Structures are given as C-alpha cells and as structure tokens.
Amino acid sequence: VEGCLPPPSPPSCVCSPYYDLERGLASSPTFLNETNALFYTLQTSSAWPLSLPVYDPAWGCACESVEDRPIWLAALDLCFWVDSLEEEERGALFSSGQLRQAYERACSAYAPGDQVNEYYHHVRLCATPAFVRNIYFLASKQYCVPEEANSFQLYPRLARDGAMMCGTDIGPIGPTQSNEEAACPCSIFFDYDALANSSSTALDSVSTFYAVVSQPNSSWPVRRPRTHNGECACDDPDFRPVWLAPIDMCDYYDRQPAEVQALLLPPDPEAQAVYERACLGLSRLEQNRDFMHIKFCADRAFITDIFYEHDYCQRPDESGQLIPVTAPDGLLFCQGIIPAPAPPPLIPPPYLPLERSALPLVDTGSDNLRLPLILGICISTCLCCCCLVLAAARRRQGSVFSVAYSPDGSRVATVGSDSALRVWDASSDLSSPSIQQATAHRGDIFSVVFLPDGTRIATGGSDGALRVWD
C-alpha cells in the first residue's frame, strides 16, 4: 500500500572477536593488522588449535566444533603457547609473513611473561580442550591464577561475559540493557523448548525467581544477567555470568541457617510455590538436568565455592585432572558430572556373612574416636528395619538408603537420595513429620549410625565426607 513502510528487518547479530576494539586501536597503530593476520591464518591453516567463533542464536558466541570453547586471549597467552612448542612445530604456524612479523613485535621483543595483556588487547577465539587446559590449568602458567591478594579470586579469571580470560582486569562494563530491550539479547535459557515442555509452570518459575533475586535488598549471591553489546554481562563488577540449575539454588538455600533462609525466601506465595515445586517436588536428578540450567550473574564467593573448591562441577580430562565444566558459550556450567557410587544393598546377602573384623574404621578427627562406617546395612532387626525404610520413604523426597536406631531405641535416623539426615520418634509409624532434619551432605547419603552414647550421629555420603552430628 502506498505510504506504508516495509516491516523492519531482524537485527543482524554478530559475535565480535574483539574485547574492546576502540581501545585496542588507540593503544597500538598495528593492532588491527596483527589481529587480522591472526584471523586469516586461523581460517586457512589447521596447524593452530584455535578457530574463529561464530554467532549462534541459542548461545551467542559459540564454536563450530562441539568440543571447542570460546575464550579470551591476548599476546601474552599466544606467545606463551607458541614459545612452548618445538622449533619445527612453531615454523608450521606461520604461513603468513605478516603473522610472523606480528609475532616478532608482540613476542620476541619482550621478555617472557612481559608481553601485552591488558583487557583491550584480548580477542575471542575458539580453543580445543587441550589448549584450554594448557593455558588455564597447568602450573606452568601461573599468571592465569590470581594470587591470594588479588581482589577477584576466580581460578582462572573470568571476563565480564563469563568466558575464561587471562587478563589483569575486565575493563569497564559499559552501559547494559535488559534482555527485553536489547536487539540481540543475552540468552538465559540452556534449552528453552525443553524447559517449557517440562512443566506448565517452568517458565513462570524462572520469572518469579529472577524477580526475587533482583530485589534491591536481596540476600541471594546471584542476579539476573543483562545485555552489553549483544553479550551477557553483570552490572556489578564483582559478578560474572554462569549457568546454574535448581539443584544449586536449593542446596545453597538448604545450607543456610534459619535466619538467612528467612531473608532468601520471602513470604510471597509465588516464591514459596517455586521453592516447593523446584526443591521439594523434584528429585535431585530432575533438578540438575541440562535444560533446567538458567544463566545467572553470581558473585565471586559463590562461583569459587561451586566451581573451584568442590569437584561436583568438574570432570576429569584424559590425564585425570579435574577441570571445571563449561557450556558451548564458554561459561561455567555446574552439572554433577562425577558419577556417584551405586548404593549398597540394604541387607547383606545371607551367603556373604559380614565379619566384624572386616568393617572399615574411620577416624572422626575431633576426639580420635574410631567407629565402624557400615554403608547401607540395616541393624540386626532387619525385617523391622525394612518396614521403617518403606515408611520413611513415604515421608521424604527420593529413596531411603540407610536406617539406624538409637541405642535406647527411642529414635530412628534415616538418610537417602535427598541429601538430608532425618531423626524420627521410634514410637510413631513415621507418618508424622521428623523431629529433627538437616541437609547433611551434597549428594546421596549412603550410611547412618548412632554413636554408642546415643547423643551423636555419623553419616557418610557420595561426596566422600564423614560427618558427626549432635
């Protein structure tokens, strides 16, 4: 129709290989020529374990190879890697004379470790798993692991978009937009379709929880990510985007004392309903599925605790070294990759008598008391015990793996797949609520036993820990 304008074309979203092109150009007149020479070589040579990232609507910046991950690299990183190679291997890298000149300027002109490493010198490249391990996790390159005195202790450092970056700082974040306002928004869903199809309330639950953590007085160590130049970003410079699932949030909540839990979960009925659906209504396996992961901005303590101080967000590489898991967009991705051992049978087979001398002894450490850790074995009154298992299973989320009576017979302790230790009144039929409850381990709990004095309980779980409770 005359006078009508054509509909606007969809935005052309791209994956920029530059961390800060404007500042990089201002820092060096040869910056663009040198990076272009590198990019051209990577497109025409297979000698490098690097390639150019591509834009993917689901991930933003991603890699054509499913095994590679986008990371941020500067001259310091590339010089370190090139100089670690044999002369013959090194020669195969420089098919371009211009790239050879760039190497001479950026690497040979400086003492090892002194090459440029400012945030604006970084470019985004896709790297093979071996390259990532060599650069970020081997002790030979310790400048990618901050000293204890460093103000942002992530191992290794993360860029403002959450991808790995071995730099001195992340630079200014710049203006951000909400995802609803951005033409090329930050993707917050690991698998939108699978999540939407999993439950009629799944998407509403995400929105509700985002609203809870976005309150100005929120006590959660996570926030909703925003968009900066088509990338995910966090307004707070101490936060980084990562992938998290309900299991991470539920476990964090359950580990807090009651007064902190009251601050984390407001009395709002919608927020309470989300907790009940996600933390109480789903098994731990369901809480941790790939499609349940959502992108959050998390603070340094939360990221360090989940991804670097524990092994449940890491997987072993071919050499057996534990490496934090990353998603296709290069962001840390917490999923329980390390398989838990299968729970032992509740009753030992009658043809395999258990001798007392064969029971393993574990040192509790506090008072040097050595006690038998009987994994998954019911007490001698096994028939009565198994009835208790069935009754307890009806009262708790998941499976019951072990049951123990107190020495005086007044209490029953149960543990299982929901990570909780529960103590019950033995005179009841276990249909009433437990008289005591605590999140005892991260993961399945396979054994529980009362100490002889009856005042303490020992538990052993798939996280490899033995804990004694008052």
Side-chain angles (χ1 to χ4, degrees), residues 51 70 190 338 342 369:
S51 59
F190 193 88
I338 309 300
L369 175 66

Side-chain angles (χ1 to χ4, degrees), residues 74-110:
L76 183 64
D77 312 298
L78 295 172
C79 296
F80 169 83
W81 179 75
V82 171
D83 292 342
S84 68
L85 301 176
E86 298 293 336
E87 185 62 35
E88 183 177 347
E89 296 176 293
R90 197 180 309 168
L93 299 176
F94 300 104
S95 58
S96 161
Q98 191 175 11
L99 184 60
R100 167 69 72 174
Q101 293 174 6
Y103 169 77
E104 297 295 337
R105 283 194 300 269
C107 302
S108 300
Y110 294 87

Side-chain angles (χ1 to χ4, degrees), residues 34-354:
E34 291 170 353
T35 54
N36 281 339
L38 175 62
F39 297 159
Y40 174 78
T41 301
L42 296 182
Q43 289 177 304
T44 58
S45 171
S46 60
W48 291 76
L50 304 169
S51 59
L52 291 179
V54 296
Y55 180 78
D56 185 299
W59 300 108
C61 287
C63 303
E64 291 184 318
S65 170
V66 296
E67 294 183 351
D68 294 356
R69 293 292 184 266
I71 59 176
W72 292 101
L73 297 169
L76 183 64
D77 312 298
L78 295 172
C79 296
F80 169 83
W81 179 75
V82 171
D83 292 342
S84 68
L85 301 176
E86 298 293 336
E87 185 62 35
E88 183 177 347
E89 296 176 293
R90 197 180 309 168
L93 299 176
F94 300 104
S95 58
S96 161
Q98 191 175 11
L99 184 60
R100 167 69 72 174
Q101 293 174 6
Y103 169 77
E104 297 295 337
R105 283 194 300 269
C107 302
S108 300
Y110 294 87
D114 290 340
Q115 294 89 357
V116 291
N117 197 36
E118 287 81 4
Y119 68 88
Y120 46 81
H121 287 137
H122 284 72
V123 292
R124 180 173 14 221
L125 298 173
C126 288
T128 64
F131 184 91
V132 173
R133 181 178 68 252
N134 186 40
I135 288 290
Y136 291 107
F137 296 101
L138 294 185
S140 58
K141 191 168 186 292
Q142 295 179 355
Y143 57 81
C144 276
V145 179
E147 298 290 339
E148 251 184 55
N150 189 281
S151 61
F152 193 70
Q153 296 178 34
L154 292 184
Y155 304 91
R157 295 181 175 101
L158 304 177
R160 65 189 173 210
D161 67 340
M164 292 185 183
M165 172 189 182
C166 186
T168 53
D169 63 274
I170 65 169
I173 297 173
T176 63
Q177 297 175 288
S178 70
N179 290 347
E180 292 77 13
E181 299 171 333
C184 297
C186 160
S187 177
I188 62 172
F189 295 101
F190 193 88
D191 189 333
Y192 177 89
D193 291 338
L195 180 65
N197 293 331
S198 68
S199 165
S200 60
T201 60
L203 298 180
D204 289 338
S205 296
V206 174
S207 299
T208 299
F209 188 69
Y210 268 155
V212 170
V213 302
S214 298
Q215 296 298 319
N217 59 347
S218 172
S219 297
W220 284 93
V222 296
R223 301 288 185 270
R224 181 173 185 170
R226 292 172 63 82
T227 301
H228 168 73
N229 291 342
E231 300 173 349
C232 296
C234 308
D235 282 333
D236 191 321
D238 283 345
F239 282 61
R240 298 290 189 277
V242 294
W243 290 102
L244 298 170
I247 192 171
D248 307 306
M249 303 305 183
C250 297
D251 283 359
Y252 177 81
Y253 176 84
D254 290 340
R255 290 197 302 267
Q256 307 308 312
E259 59 271 18
V260 176
Q261 289 183 345
L263 297 175
L264 294 174
L265 191 60
D268 175 63
E270 290 187 9
Q272 297 283 340
V274 169
Y275 172 76
E276 292 176 4
R277 286 196 300 265
C279 300
L280 303 181
L282 298 177
S283 69
R284 293 182 63 81
L285 178 63
E286 292 171 321
Q287 292 177 22
N288 198 35
R289 295 192 185 280
D290 284 0
F291 64 82
M292 298 294 284
H293 285 72
I294 305 296
K295 196 173 291 180
F296 288 90
C297 288
D299 71 11
R300 67 183 74 174
F302 189 86
I303 294 176
T304 302
D305 175 69
I306 286 187
F307 292 100
Y308 295 102
E309 293 185 352
H310 300 283
D311 64 5
Y312 45 76
C313 287
Q314 303 173 355
R315 66 164 54 133
D317 64 7
E318 60 270 17
S319 66
Q321 181 179 1
L322 289 175
I323 302 295
V325 183
T326 52
D329 57 358
L331 271 63
L332 293 171
F333 173 72
C334 187
Q335 189 185 36
I337 300 295
I338 309 300
L346 291 175
I347 305 175
Y351 51 83
L352 291 176
L354 185 66

Side-chain angles (χ1 to χ4, degrees), residues 386-432:
C386 290
C387 293
L388 291 172
V389 169
L390 295 175
R394 292 194 296 267
R395 290 293 309 169
R396 57 188 294 147
Q397 301 292 326
S399 303
V400 176
F401 292 154
S402 185
V403 176
Y405 268 112
S406 62
D408 62 2
S410 64
R411 289 166 296 153
V412 178
T414 66
V415 294
S417 62
D418 61 356
S419 306
L421 164 65
R422 289 181 172 85
V423 181
W424 314 76
D425 182 354
S427 63
S428 72
D429 60 358
L430 303 191
S431 62
S432 57

